[in-house]
């Protein structure tokens, strides 16, 4: 009997265990839902307790230890931000994108472009003839006049444009990664963001200056130099045949605008990203359609007019990153004046002249569809007018922003600061250039004059504590 009495408790316990095991699933879920508020209430208590322990540990530290610990916090937070952006120093930094394709292209654009160029030139050195379709202009005209060899448009122009897209991306990557950063360090430009933006402006200034000089030289040797009356003279017979310089300039500019669609997605995102993308799309469509319709004379003069003010703008931005105060204001003033004269007055004048003089100069029998290679007709001209008006609306939007900058310069006495695309906002720079007062990020501690403030006070920072563009 004693053995039986000892076995009875064990059997009852096993029954209890089996009863717990046989609880219905619905009942178990109900119990779990009842316990959720308890577990959620424990989490903020744990955070508050750890926060209290952190505050007590900071109170027992000296001033030097506080600065050292806050610097470590700042470095760790900066490292976390770099990991979130998935980028490293010395490479293109991707902002506001998680597209793995764009990140891979930005980090490998130099190697990929140089690899493609090596294939083309290596095959050409080996004796293959197909690389000549990419390197040299194709589609020579059968007739040769007093001005030399003439060219017509053809299918192989696509290969020439693709080749120059790769060359432009490679040249840009070389400038942004190896050449311009060395120059920036020599002239004491500090901060990774400032060096990157200075490198981008230096590349733009280099390309625009070289391309505009070449285009102006081609314009000087053309029959439509400094006049709009001959833009459509003897259309389309003389316009189908293009000189070497005009066709080269047109196709290289097409490659540049197509490459810009890629670069605006791998560079730091601007405030006017949508307007810039629309501007590039309209410009590319105008360049391609004018090339197809043999309106290359008008397109050549139009591109020269549009590119000229950007020389002053990029120069002003470069001087601003160099810390110069007088030159940016002077160059920005020249930029504003040239903007109004070229992008509004001359462009609108060319728009009206293309409509009036185009139909006055071109006779009816040489218009579309009565004459081969002719695209001069009211519907086609109206289509070009719509694209040019869209371009003017974007330029007017940017002009309003330029006027606001001039207003701040004259009334408030502020320096030239183009807010069209360069002032994306404030951003905390590297820990090496941060202010000593910035002792932690917005989720940490802010220490000022040995006073321990809460994290809510950490957001009250002056502009000197931030790296503002």
């Amino acid at each position: 009997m004693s053995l039986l009495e000892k076995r009875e408790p064990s059997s009852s316990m096993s029954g209890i265990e089996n009863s717990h095991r046989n609880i219905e699933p619905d009942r178990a879920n109900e119990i779990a839902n009842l316990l959720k508020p308890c577990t959620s209430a424990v989490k903020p208590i744990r955070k508050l307790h750890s926060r209290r322990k952190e505050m007590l540990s900071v109170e027992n530290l000296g001033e030097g230890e506080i600065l050292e610990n806050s610097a470590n916090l700042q470095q760790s937070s900066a490292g976390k931000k770099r990991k979130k952006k998935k980028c490293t120093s010395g490479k293109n930094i991707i902002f506001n994108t998680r597209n793995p394709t764009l990140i891979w292209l930005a980090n490998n654009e130099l190697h990929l472009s140089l690899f493609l160029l090596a294939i083309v030139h290596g095959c050409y050195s080996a004796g293959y003839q197909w690389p000549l379709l990419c390197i040299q202009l194709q589609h020579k005209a059968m007739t040769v006049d007093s001005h030399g060899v003439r060219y017509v448009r053809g299918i192989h122009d696509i290969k020439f444009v693709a080749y120059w897209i790769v060359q432009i991306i490679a040249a840009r990557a070389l400038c942004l990664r190896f050449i311009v950063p060395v120059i920036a360090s020599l002239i004491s430009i500090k901060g990774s963001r400032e060096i990157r933006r200075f490198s981008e402006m230096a590349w733009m200034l280099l390309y625009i200056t070289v391309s505009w000089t070449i285009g102006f030289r081609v314009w000087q040797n053309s029959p439509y130099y400094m006049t709009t009356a001959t833009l459509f003279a003897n259309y389309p017979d003389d316009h189908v045949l293009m000189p070497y310089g005009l066709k080269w300039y047109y196709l290289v500019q097409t490659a540049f605008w197509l490459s810009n669609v890629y670069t605006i997605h791998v560079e730091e995102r601007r405030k006017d990203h949508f307007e810039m993308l629309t501007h590039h799309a309209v410009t590319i469509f105008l360049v391609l359609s004018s090339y197809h319709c043999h309106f290359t004379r008008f397109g050549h003069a139009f591109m020269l007019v549009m590119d000229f003010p950007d020389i002053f703008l990029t120069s002003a931005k470069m001087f601003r990153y160099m810390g110069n105060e007088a030159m940016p204001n002077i160059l920005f003033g020249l930029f504003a004046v040239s903007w109004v004269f070229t992008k509004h007055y001359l462009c609108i004048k060319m728009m009206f002249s293309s409509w009036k003089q185009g139909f006055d100069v071109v006779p009816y029998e040489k218009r579309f569809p009565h004459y081969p290679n002719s695209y001069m007709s009211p519907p086609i001209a109206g289509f070009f007018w719509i694209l040019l008006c869209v371009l003017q609306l974007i330029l007017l939007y940017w002009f309003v922003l330029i006027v606001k900058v001039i207003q701040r310069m004259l009334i408030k006495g502020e320096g030239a600061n183009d807010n069209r695309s360069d002032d994306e906002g404030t951003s905390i720079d590297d820990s090496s250039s941060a202010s000593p007062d910035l002792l932690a990020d917005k989720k940490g501690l802010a220490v000022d004059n040995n006073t321990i403030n809460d994290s809510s006070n950490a957001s009250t920072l002056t502009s000197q504590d931030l790296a503002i563009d």
Side-chain angles (χ1 to χ4, degrees), residues 45 155 190 249 287 414:
I45 296 175
I155 190 64
K190 298 180 180 180
Y249 175 79
V287 171
E414 298 180 359

Side-chain angles (χ1 to χ4, degrees), residues 70-192:
S70 60
N72 294 332
L73 287 173
Q74 195 176 11
Q75 291 178 358
S76 62
S77 62
K80 291 180 181 179
K81 291 179 181 178
R82 293 191 185 96
K83 290 180 181 178
K84 289 181 180 179
K85 292 178 182 178
K86 297 181 181 180
C87 57
T88 57
S89 59
K91 295 184 178 181
N92 266 0
I93 299 179
I94 308 297
F95 285 85
N96 300 328
T97 181
R98 295 180 180 179
N99 192 328
T101 305
L102 288 178
I103 295 174
W104 184 85
L105 286 175
N107 291 334
N108 299 277
E109 59 181 3
L110 180 59
H111 303 87
L112 182 61
S113 57
L114 291 179
F115 175 73
L116 294 176
L117 293 176
I119 291 177
V120 173
H121 289 276
C123 292
Y124 176 71
S125 301
Y128 293 93
Q129 296 299 318
W130 66 264
L132 291 177
L133 301 177
C134 304
I135 300 173
Q136 296 180 359
L137 288 178
Q138 302 298 317
H139 305 290
K140 289 184 180 180
M142 299 300 294
T143 58
V144 180
D145 55 11
S146 59
H147 298 283
V149 180
R150 297 286 178 157
Y151 291 82
V152 296
R153 57 176 173 83
I155 190 64
H156 295 302
D157 296 339
I158 299 176
K159 302 174 183 178
F160 185 82
V161 171
Y163 172 76
W164 270 95
I165 290 175
V166 177
Q167 280 204 123
I168 291 172
I169 293 176
R172 175 184 172 275
L174 285 173
C175 288
L176 266 63
R177 299 190 183 192
F178 298 103
I179 301 175
V180 184
V182 176
I183 301 174
S185 61
L186 292 177
I187 57 180
S188 302
I189 296 179
K190 298 180 180 180
S192 59

Side-chain angles (χ1 to χ4, degrees), residues 308-322:
F308 181 73
D310 294 336
I311 298 176
F312 298 108
L313 177 62
T314 52
S315 302
K317 290 182 179 181
M318 289 180 65
F319 276 104
R320 182 160 64 88
Y321 289 120
M322 292 167 59

Side-chain angles (χ1 to χ4, degrees), residues 13-41:
M13 290 298 293
S14 63
I16 294 172
E17 291 177 357
N18 293 330
S19 63
H20 280 291
R21 291 174 184 175
N22 295 329
I23 294 177
E24 297 179 357
D26 297 337
R27 182 61 177 171
N29 295 333
E30 184 178 355
I31 294 173
N33 293 331
L34 291 174
L35 292 176
K36 279 184 179 180
C38 299
T39 56
S40 61

